[in-house]
Amino acid sequence: MKPIHPHSGSFLIGQLNRFGSDLDAKHEITFWLYFPGEDIARQAGKRAEESGLSVEIGPSVDDQWLCLLACPQVPDEALIDGVIQFCIDLASNLGGE
């Protein structure tokens, strides 16, 4: 049996189920991306908003800027996997993590 990656829709759905969440109700799933500067974080935020995510930008520790993304949806494995990949690509393309 192949282990489930902790950064996957399958893992998140399993955790929600494990803790008794109503999987037919909306959940606000959040993603934290960190960037080396405010301008870059704001660029990332703009792209995320254009993709339908809610965004909050603010300073973080170690001179980093937080781009907090939220996806208020009914949990769906494919949707979550898509948002995770979007976040990975966004951070990678803009020098974030």
Side-chain angles (χ1 to χ4, degrees):
M1 180 179 194
K2 183 180 173 186
I4 297 173
H5 193 279
H7 298 283
S8 69
S10 178
F11 179 80
L12 181 59
I13 296 291
Q15 291 295 83
L16 290 171
N17 191 41
R18 178 177 166 216
F19 290 103
S21 288
D22 179 359
L23 297 179
D24 293 322
K26 278 188 177 183
H27 290 66
E28 185 166 289
I29 301 166
T30 56
F31 302 86
W32 293 266
L33 281 66
Y34 295 91
F35 295 93
E38 181 179 6
D39 290 342
I40 297 170
R42 293 204 181 279
Q43 286 177 39
K46 183 178 179 197
R47 291 183 191 179
E49 284 178 337
E50 290 169 352
S51 295
L53 300 172
S54 299
V55 176
E56 290 183 38
I57 305 290
S60 186
V61 296
D62 299 329
D63 296 321
Q64 297 273 334
W65 279 78
L66 170 64
C67 182
L68 179 64
L69 308 179
C71 179
Q73 300 288 333
V74 173
D76 173 87
E77 188 175 325
L79 172 72
I80 295 167
D81 284 340
V83 175
I84 289 170
Q85 190 59 55
F86 172 82
C87 290
I88 290 168
D89 293 346
L90 184 62
S92 177
N93 291 337
L94 294 174
E97 53 186 84

